[in-house]
Amino acid sequence: MSNGTATADLRAEIPALRIGRHMVGPGHPVYVIGEIGINHNGDLDIAKQLIDVAAESGCQAVKFQKRTPEICVPVEQRDKIRQTPWGEMTYMEYKHRVEFGEAEYAEIAKYCDVLGLDWFASPWDVPSVDFLEKFDVPVHKVASASITDHELLRALAATGKPVLLSTGMSTLDEIDAAVTILGARNLVIMHSTSTYPMPPEEGNLRTIETLRDRYRVPVAYSGHERGLQISVAAAALGAVAIERHITLDRTMWGSDHSASLEPTGLRNLVRDIRVIEQALGDGVKRVFPGEEEPRKRLRRTTA
């Protein structure tokens, strides 16, 4: 087999798919997603600042989370008192406080369009799928917590949109069942470990290859670690998309800020991913132009 043939075969076997403005899959630039999630803390101005950070850093997309609190918050948790920056309130009041509605998402959609960014969200319940479909989002994301919610998966499959399936805290049997419901045609599986923040020894990045070999679909990486090295390594191992939580300041109040990248970190991540893409090449062994002069000067040949 000639150099580069194995890579070409992989690209032929695992087709790319279109997400918004971009093709995502083997042979295409890594699709970098700035995961805003709920790091906006219910403030549209903070959300826009984070969208600016993603655009300026070179991301292709930003992602949010969408919940119906009456469905997602367990009954026993609803009346528990929580200390928040807005004062003391019940957990249910807090979840409503940080949830955006149609007016906010209309602003987000308009803002992202001007900046040339895709935007989408992880719906945590079926009404949230219907909500997001009103905005014709280009893709839906299944959070790791939702991979066994088969009612939600069936609703997502019915949209006909591409799906990013995150696999943190999941067994292969659970992933098998989700893939059976969603189908493989419009699917990107995301390797993930749901520890916040994730220690390096739990990264298990070789799972990217395991998932790609098992399901024959594009595989991406959703990271919750501190730092950049693990995400850059995921890109080197062939992750077609990289998703990282982003924040204006890791010391901000909220559950996800501490495991998020600040603006400088996000810029550096995108920079390093693009360098890795260039350095990986096509796998064909050749003599490069920069080697010609040293080759003539240093090479010895013997009979």
Side-chain angles (χ1 to χ4, degrees):
M1 183 178 288
S2 64
N3 286 323
T5 303
T7 301
D9 288 346
L10 176 62
R11 292 176 182 177
E13 292 172 13
I14 303 179
L17 63 157
R18 178 166 290 281
I19 296 179
R21 300 166 171 84
H22 305 274
M23 295 300 295
V24 178
H28 295 275
V30 173
Y31 187 73
V32 184
I33 305 161
E35 158 75 284
I36 293 173
I38 56 172
N39 277 356
H40 51 72
N41 288 353
D43 186 319
L44 184 59
D45 184 58
I46 292 176
K48 287 182 175 180
Q49 291 180 60
L50 288 168
I51 293 168
D52 287 337
V53 167
E56 292 163 3
S57 298
C59 292
Q60 284 67 56
V62 291
K63 189 189 81 69
F64 295 85
Q65 296 175 20
K66 180 60 183 166
R67 294 173 174 85
T68 305
E70 287 76 11
I71 295 174
C72 296
V73 178
V75 173
E76 64 274 14
Q77 296 286 330
R78 294 180 182 182
D79 293 328
K80 289 193 172 181
I81 299 300
R82 188 176 177 93
Q83 302 297 327
T84 78
W86 313 284
E88 189 178 86
M89 60 182 68
T90 67
Y91 188 61
M92 179 66 92
E93 290 171 332
Y94 156 70
K95 295 306 288 184
H96 276 290
R97 175 66 178 74
V98 298
E99 195 66 47
F100 285 155
E102 285 195 29
E104 290 85 1
Y105 275 112
E107 280 290 314
I108 286 166
K110 187 187 308 179
Y111 201 71
C112 288
D113 187 58
V114 169
L115 293 174
L117 282 177
D118 295 336
W119 77 273
F120 56 97
S122 297
W124 285 63
D125 50 77
V126 173
S128 292
V129 177
D130 297 335
F131 176 93
L132 292 168
E133 280 293 286
K134 294 178 184 177
F135 294 95
D136 195 26
V137 291
V139 62
H140 292 286
K141 165 81 184 293
V142 178
S144 293
S146 302
I147 194 170
T148 56
D149 186 343
H150 291 178
E151 180 188 20
L152 175 65
L153 299 186
R154 285 191 290 270
L156 291 171
T159 68
K161 299 281 181 65
V163 172
L164 302 173
L165 177 67
S166 204
T167 57
M169 55 188 174
S170 302
T171 66
L172 284 175
D173 286 343
E174 290 168 340
I175 301 170
D176 285 347
V179 172
T180 297
I181 293 170
L182 293 169
R185 188 174 63 86
N186 275 328
L187 183 65
V188 175
I189 293 178
M190 303 193 86
H191 170 55
S192 184
T193 300
S194 297
T195 307
Y196 295 79
M198 184 198 76
E201 62 271 21
E202 293 187 10
N204 201 18
L205 290 183
R206 289 193 175 94
T207 305
I208 292 170
E209 298 171 0
T210 301
L211 296 172
R212 188 167 55 220
D213 292 343
R214 184 179 183 90
Y215 300 106
R216 310 310 297 165
V217 300
V219 176
Y221 175 68
S222 178
H224 305 113
E225 71 274 11
R226 291 194 175 107
L228 310 181
Q229 301 96 325
I230 294 172
S231 292
V232 172
L237 286 170
V240 302
I242 301 291
E243 176 187 73
R244 290 293 301 271
H245 284 267
I246 62 175
T247 182
L248 299 177
D249 183 339
R250 281 196 299 272
T251 66
M252 289 176 68
W253 187 89
S255 57
D256 291 339
H257 290 281
S258 65
S260 300
L261 291 178
E262 293 176 333
T264 298
L266 183 62
R267 285 194 297 272
N268 291 343
L269 175 64
V270 177
R271 176 202 64 195
D272 291 351
I273 287 172
R274 300 305 172 215
V275 171
I276 289 293
E277 286 175 331
Q278 288 182 309
L280 285 173
D282 57 14
V284 177
K285 180 58 183 166
R286 60 170 67 86
V287 177
F288 285 95
E291 296 178 293
E292 293 290 356
E293 193 279 330
R295 175 182 167 92
K296 293 174 183 176
R297 180 167 50 87
L298 300 173
R299 180 64 55 84
R300 292 182 65 236
T301 58
T302 59

